[in-house]
Amino acid sequence: MSEATEWGPGHLTVGDLAFHFFPYSRLRVALAAREEAAAAGSPAATPHRPAQRLIRDARDADLVAVDWMRSLGFTDAVATPVGADEGIDVLAERAVAQVKKEGSRTTRPTVQQLHGAATAKQRAAPFFSMAGYTPPAITWASHQDIALFPYDLQGTPQPVNPPALRLLETADKQAGRATDTSHGS
């Protein structure tokens, strides 16, 4: 992979290519995130997990969360319509999820709101947040069995608490069994 180098405001070279653009501070972050994800051998490398794709806005984040919800076993997951969603961005028969694409970490009260909505509907409550979570949010969610996933600019979530890790491991085991069954036929 060619390494990107910056040679002045509004200029970037990748290999023999030179790009000229208006200075945009997030470009550096997006390029660094892409390089980091490629170097880390992200979880999206397994066949049952969604392919990475750039998250440009909140709707992209919702749609990536739908893909991940489906890979986590909530196969009927769909994004709620844009607008007033009462804190639910992804809806499935067995789960409701919230997705935050914000600059600050998600707090305990926000996680509690999703928990309230999920409890009322008797569903699981995975939460996806680009900025991550405050320590009180992680502690509280862990005790309430709410799976917390911070995600990167390519939409790849990482489990940040035990419920999220269990959900991901269960999905991996189920996908492994499905693969074994299909190869055994």
Side-chain angles (χ1 to χ4, degrees):
M1 179 173 271
S2 298
E3 197 161 311
T5 57
E6 204 174 315
W7 52 274
H11 302 281
L12 179 74
T13 60
V14 179
D16 294 335
L17 301 174
F19 299 93
H20 304 281
F21 54 89
F22 291 106
Y24 183 60
S25 63
R26 290 188 174 173
L27 177 63
R28 223 175 281 113
V29 173
L31 288 171
R34 188 185 83 192
E35 292 295 325
E36 183 178 318
S42 76
T46 60
H48 73 281
R49 294 197 179 160
Q52 293 181 337
R53 60 181 175 176
L54 182 64
I55 294 181
R56 297 166 298 210
D57 57 29
R59 191 59 176 174
D60 286 345
D62 290 350
L63 297 175
V64 167
V66 166
D67 291 344
W68 276 93
M69 290 280 293
R70 289 177 179 170
S71 77
L72 292 170
F74 305 104
T75 56
D76 61 338
V78 294
T80 59
V82 175
D85 56 23
E86 298 176 6
I88 298 172
D89 298 306
V90 180
L91 184 60
E93 185 177 328
R94 296 181 300 113
V96 294
Q98 189 165 17
V99 183
K100 291 290 186 190
K101 184 185 179 300
E102 298 176 335
S104 59
R105 294 187 295 170
T106 300
T107 62
R108 176 180 167 165
T110 304
V111 174
Q112 287 174 311
Q113 288 171 352
L114 176 64
H115 179 259
T119 300
K121 297 179 182 296
Q122 297 180 348
R123 298 179 186 178
F127 203 120
F128 299 84
S129 173
M130 182 170 268
Y133 304 88
T134 62
I138 294 169
T139 301
W140 190 85
S142 296
H143 288 109
Q144 299 302 317
D145 204 33
I146 297 173
L148 300 180
F149 295 96
Y151 61 91
D152 61 21
L153 287 171
Q154 277 70 43
T156 304
Q158 297 294 327
V160 75
N161 67 344
L165 185 59
R166 281 193 306 273
L167 187 58
L168 195 57
E169 287 173 346
T170 299
D172 287 346
K173 286 177 188 174
Q174 289 174 345
R177 279 189 224 119
T179 301
D180 291 345
T181 303
S182 68
H183 290 302
S185 302

